[in-house]
Amino acid sequence: MTETPALIESDRLENELSIDILKTLQADHSRHDFLDVAIPGVLQSMGGTLGGLVSQRSGKWTPECWVGEKLPFPSELVGEAFDRGVTISADGWHAIPLAQPQRGSNTTGEPSPSSALVMRLSDDRSRLEPTESAPHTQPIADMLSAALHRIDTHDRNLQRIDQLSSVLRAAAQWQQLDDDEALLQRIADTATKLLHCERASIFLWDRRRKKLIGRPALGVEGKPLEVDDKAGVVGEVLSTGEAKIWNGNSDDDESRVNRTVDRTLEFQTHSLVAVPMCNPVAHFGANTKPTAHGREEIVGVFEAINRRNGSFDHSDVVLLSDLALHAAAAIHSLQTRKSLTDSRDRLVDDAASKTQLIGNHPSIDQVRKNAQKVAATDLTVLVLGSNGTGKEVLARHIHYESNRRSGPFIAVNCAALVESLLESELFGHEKGSFTDASQTRVGKFELANGGTLFLDEVGDMSPGGQAKLLRVLEDKVVIRVGGSQTIPVDVRVIAATNQPLEQRIIEKRFREDLFFRLNVVSLTLPSLAKRGDDILMLANHFLQHFAYQIGRTVPTLDANAKLTMLSHPWPGNVRELRNTMERVCYLCSGDRIGVDDLMLTGTSSLTSGGNREASFLSSAPPSLSDATRIYQVAHINQAIENCRGNMTEAAERLGLHRSNLYRKMRQLGMPTSGE
């Protein structure tokens, strides 16, 4: 059949319009710019004299782009055409519905707004008859609909990217906050800004009380807002685990809103959106919901109130859900950090309480004051004093009084290490660096990073070890044995020795440059025998400690025992006193401690009808292993006391190598460095 001139002209105009629309799309125009270019061409191709694109917003058909005289258009005709999905013509007006994309066809899940073409035709065109069917208009309408959908999807994608960027930036800032209230306030502020609403509240769920606690409820002064966990829209969200929207200007049920809160706060809720806040969980219990990443536990509800422009929609649900996800993670992270910090602080305080410098003697008081001053710095400290005077206790005291108190405290006995192992012990080694290096090992300097490294008996360190130690102290870096990479270390070094270092320097047995590097601040601990009544104070402290350990009442010293202790020379210093009180707590079954119970060398140890051995056997524990341990501890301590703290000489008397003596002392639970 031969086509009429009108149909030929129509096809030509449609082809030209298609090309114009494609060019406009390639130029990446906004929806508004596209309509300004495309609608005049559409009207021309259809023979329209005036008209445009109308869209349904808030339940009303509103012109979005209009060409020609702005005459009132029949909105009822548009509605009927859109409902029936066909072109409707009446009274010179023609309404052509545009195809509606399916929900979920873009990244936000939101459909494009309902739209239709409305126009009046010129008198000399008969293309659109007053009928319910106009097939020639459909290709143009479909083309326009597809173009608008593409533009809307592109715009939504850009908006979504911008929203996610804002959420991620905000979430990164939230992770830096350490205060509960500041974090919740910042989260709510972010929500009001991004959702363009008046107020936002984070409702945390108190399961025990069955309450939702609003923290913070923006605009609410005073105490946190509390509501029943089943009341209102937030209650719906909590019970169902699904997001909810309420808009007062729509057909939503008024009873869903908890107006009690409005009356209390003298506030009027016009619209709101609420989403669940969840944390990932490993178990499948109540109040959990399945997600793409497993199951999540509902911990609260995130609510936004009164959108400033229009009503809340699905895009607001998506955005608020993103905020809720990161908010729940930030809140959980802060709670975990605070819990770990509290636990750490309790452990540090407990450890610090065990390193007190007990005593009121002026010499100890002066050491305590100087230690307090030097603790606030990172200066290297050299602690001097005889064996057993408490050099490690002083080092720990300095550590726990410093800004490094939360870091590690690592103690190394330099005299107990042979030169071949010293470098590996202090600096670590790489796997395969020597015969027994079956795996990589981190050295003591690395382990002490951020804290304090205590080098006990540094005066007995080998010449090679002294050179390596000096290099680390100067460069603040270590290189593992067998490695080549320098590892920076932030370590405060406290060294201790009972050796006269100045004399050893003269004898070429200690490096002078290392001495000056270590001796930035020097603290000297006095012998116990020179501390007067501190002996009794320390004795009572140790008695309480060991009595608590073994679960017995604390025994007391009688007058003669006190006099004996004050007159005893205490060659082993505080270590000897501590061991004496430990022995007394285990062996003395009575509540009073006499002279014979002390079993001190050089004092009367005879009891009526018995000697020290008989006294020991009569009060020894029934277990052979316990009695053997106590005897070995006493025998080793006696040897150390007789040698006045010289560990090398004591080891020779006991028929042991020095390193074997230290190993035996560790097996018996005896301290191997200054107490």
Side-chain angles (χ1 to χ4, degrees):
M1 184 174 64
T2 305
E3 293 183 339
T4 64
L7 290 177
I8 294 174
E9 177 66 11
S10 173
D11 291 339
R12 185 185 67 79
L13 291 173
E14 286 177 12
N15 291 332
E16 292 178 356
L17 177 62
S18 300
I19 294 173
D20 290 341
I21 289 177
L22 288 174
K23 289 181 178 179
T24 306
L25 287 175
Q26 290 173 353
D28 199 21
H29 286 296
S30 65
R31 180 184 175 97
H32 180 269
D33 293 339
F34 170 77
L35 291 176
D36 284 346
V37 174
I39 293 301
V42 170
L43 292 179
Q44 181 183 1
S45 68
M46 293 184 176
T49 57
L50 60 88
L53 183 76
V54 296
S55 300
Q56 191 176 46
R57 302 183 186 279
S58 301
K60 297 181 180 180
W61 290 99
T62 305
E64 189 174 353
C65 180
W66 195 263
V67 177
E69 185 180 358
K70 293 185 178 180
L71 297 177
F73 66 91
S75 57
E76 297 82 1
L77 183 68
V78 178
E80 182 180 358
F82 193 85
D83 291 340
R84 299 174 63 176
V86 296
T87 300
I88 302 293
S89 302
D91 300 328
W93 287 97
H94 304 274
I96 309 168
L98 301 186
Q100 184 75 356
Q102 293 182 350
R103 178 179 290 271
S105 57
N106 54 61
T107 56
T108 66
E110 273 291 284
S112 299
S114 302
S115 301
L117 281 170
V118 179
M119 68 182 72
R120 293 184 69 90
L121 299 182
S122 59
D123 295 337
D124 59 344
R125 299 292 298 270
S126 58
R127 203 165 160 194
L128 285 177
E129 301 296 334
T131 176
E132 295 183 0
S133 177
H136 291 286
T137 66
Q138 197 59 46
I140 296 177
D142 290 344
M143 189 185 308
L144 182 62
S145 176
L148 289 175
H149 174 60
R150 176 179 172 182
I151 292 174
D152 289 344
T153 301
H154 180 262
D155 290 346
R156 287 195 185 95
N157 288 340
L158 292 179
Q159 181 184 19
R160 181 73 176 137
I161 291 172
D162 183 63
Q163 288 178 347
L164 289 174
S165 298
S166 299
V167 170
L168 290 175
R169 283 194 298 270
Q173 295 173 356
W174 299 343
Q175 294 290 345
Q176 306 302 316
L177 299 175
D178 294 324
D179 179 72
D180 286 338
E181 294 301 325
L183 172 62
L184 295 171
Q185 185 73 32
R186 184 72 65 82
I187 293 171
D189 287 340
T190 302
T192 57
K193 179 181 178 181
L194 295 182
L195 274 80
H196 308 287
C197 61
E198 293 182 11
R199 294 185 177 183
S201 295
I202 300 169
F203 286 92
L204 300 181
W205 190 18
D206 186 341
R207 289 180 176 82
R208 183 181 60 82
R209 297 172 54 213
K210 297 183 178 180
K211 294 287 186 181
L212 283 166
I213 315 299
R215 299 179 56 204
L218 293 189
V220 180
E221 300 294 336
K223 63 181 182 179
L225 176 64
E226 293 189 8
V227 298
D228 187 83
D229 64 1
K230 296 186 183 301
V233 176
V234 291
E236 293 180 26
V237 173
L238 189 65
S239 61
T240 63
E242 299 175 353
K244 300 292 180 181
I245 297 176
W246 182 88
N247 289 310
N249 59 357
S250 64
D251 296 331
D252 280 340
D253 186 1
E254 172 68 20
S255 63
R256 295 177 62 201
V257 179
N258 188 0
R259 292 298 183 187
T260 303
V261 177
D262 280 3
R263 289 191 293 271
T264 302
L265 303 177
E266 298 181 353
F267 181 76
Q268 184 68 28
T269 299
H270 303 297
S271 59
L272 65 86
V273 58
V275 299
M277 295 179 62
C278 304
N279 281 332
V281 294
H283 61 276
F284 287 13
N287 302 115
T288 65
K289 69 171 187 174
T291 68
H293 306 287
R295 295 191 69 88
E296 294 181 331
E297 178 187 25
I298 300 176
V299 296
V301 178
F302 202 169
E303 177 188 64
I305 302 176
N306 290 357
R307 206 179 200 286
R308 291 191 174 90
N309 298 316
S311 303
F312 290 112
D313 55 27
H314 181 76
S315 63
D316 297 312
V317 170
V318 174
L319 177 56
L320 189 59
S321 296
D322 291 335
L323 289 170
L325 175 66
H326 290 281
I331 293 170
H332 180 69
S333 176
L334 177 58
Q335 291 173 343
T336 301
R337 292 201 309 271
K338 292 189 70 173
S339 176
L340 291 174
T341 300
D342 292 342
S343 298
R344 180 204 65 188
D345 291 344
R346 285 194 299 270
L347 291 173
V348 170
D349 291 341
D350 182 60
S353 67
K354 298 176 182 178
T355 60
Q356 303 175 51
L357 290 178
I358 298 173
N360 293 326
H361 193 270
S363 60
I364 287 296
D365 188 52
Q366 185 61 45
V367 169
R368 188 185 295 112
K369 290 179 180 178
N370 291 337
Q372 189 73 27
K373 294 177 182 178
V374 76
T377 72
D378 272 342
L379 298 176
T380 304
V381 180
L382 180 62
V383 181
L384 304 174
S386 302
N387 276 337
T389 50
K391 295 188 287 295
E392 184 172 344
V393 171
L394 176 57
R396 289 183 182 273
H397 177 76
I398 294 172
H399 170 73
Y400 286 117
E401 290 296 318
S402 72
N403 294 329
R404 297 175 177 265
R405 69 191 316 262
S406 298
F409 179 91
I410 304 296
V412 180
N413 191 324
C414 300
L417 297 172
V418 296
E419 183 174 358
S420 59
L421 296 178
L422 179 65
E423 187 174 3
S424 173
E425 186 74 14
L426 291 179
F427 315 129
H429 62 254
E430 298 291 348
K431 181 178 179 180
S433 57
F434 50 87
T435 303
D436 295 329
S438 58
Q439 59 185 4
T440 299
R441 179 178 179 179
V442 176
K444 293 295 192 292
F445 267 94
E446 287 184 72
L447 291 175
N449 191 50
T452 302
L453 179 64
F454 176 58
L455 301 176
D456 195 15
E457 300 192 45
V458 71
D460 293 327
M461 183 178 288
S462 64
Q466 294 178 32
K468 295 179 176 71
L469 175 60
L470 178 62
R471 183 188 64 198
V472 175
L473 293 177
E474 290 179 343
D475 298 340
K476 305 296 184 183
V477 297
V478 297
I479 300 176
R480 294 176 185 165
V481 177
S484 58
Q485 181 181 0
T486 58
I487 303 172
V489 288
D490 175 22
V491 176
R492 194 235 187 100
V493 173
I494 300 178
T497 183
N498 64 344
Q499 302 286 346
L501 294 183
E502 292 88 347
Q503 182 62 34
R504 293 179 73 86
I505 291 172
I506 295 174
E507 298 170 355
K508 304 298 183 181
R509 298 171 63 187
F510 198 83
R511 295 179 63 106
E512 185 177 21
D513 48 3
L514 178 59
F515 172 75
F516 288 122
R517 173 64 66 178
L518 294 174
N519 194 34
V520 178
V521 177
S522 176
L523 299 176
T524 303
L525 286 168
S527 300
L528 179 61
K530 298 179 181 180
R531 292 174 56 179
D533 290 341
D534 281 359
I535 296 172
L536 300 181
M537 184 182 296
L538 285 165
N540 287 325
H541 169 75
F542 291 134
L543 285 173
Q544 292 175 7
H545 172 72
F546 291 117
Y548 174 79
Q549 271 193 346
I550 63 179
R552 62 162 294 177
T553 57
V554 182
T556 57
L557 296 162
D558 65 20
N560 290 330
K562 291 180 180 179
L563 290 175
T564 300
M565 293 180 67
L566 290 173
S567 61
H568 185 67
W570 300 108
N573 292 295
V574 179
R575 181 190 291 116
E576 180 187 356
L577 176 61
R578 182 183 188 276
N579 293 336
T580 300
M581 294 302 102
E582 182 180 15
R583 180 172 66 242
V584 167
C585 276
Y586 275 96
L587 301 183
C588 179
S589 56
D591 293 335
R592 301 282 293 178
I593 301 172
V595 174
D596 292 337
D597 295 319
L598 296 174
M599 292 187 289
L600 294 174
T601 303
T603 62
S604 176
S605 61
L606 297 177
T607 61
S608 56
N611 54 26
R612 177 180 298 180
E613 290 75 13
S615 174
F616 172 80
L617 292 174
S618 64
S619 55
S623 171
L624 179 61
S625 60
D626 289 344
T628 302
R629 174 187 173 277
I630 292 173
Y631 177 79
Q632 289 181 339
V633 169
H635 189 59
I636 292 174
N637 281 329
Q638 186 66 54
I640 295 173
E641 292 169 13
N642 291 339
C643 296
R644 304 188 67 82
N646 189 313
M647 299 298 288
T648 302
E649 184 180 346
E652 292 176 355
R653 287 196 180 189
L654 293 170
L656 299 172
H657 189 274
R658 181 187 179 100
S659 61
N660 292 336
L661 174 58
Y662 278 112
R663 187 179 302 109
K664 185 63 177 177
M665 292 173 68
R666 286 193 292 270
Q667 291 174 354
L668 295 171
M670 300 173 64
T672 57
S673 57
E675 294 296 317

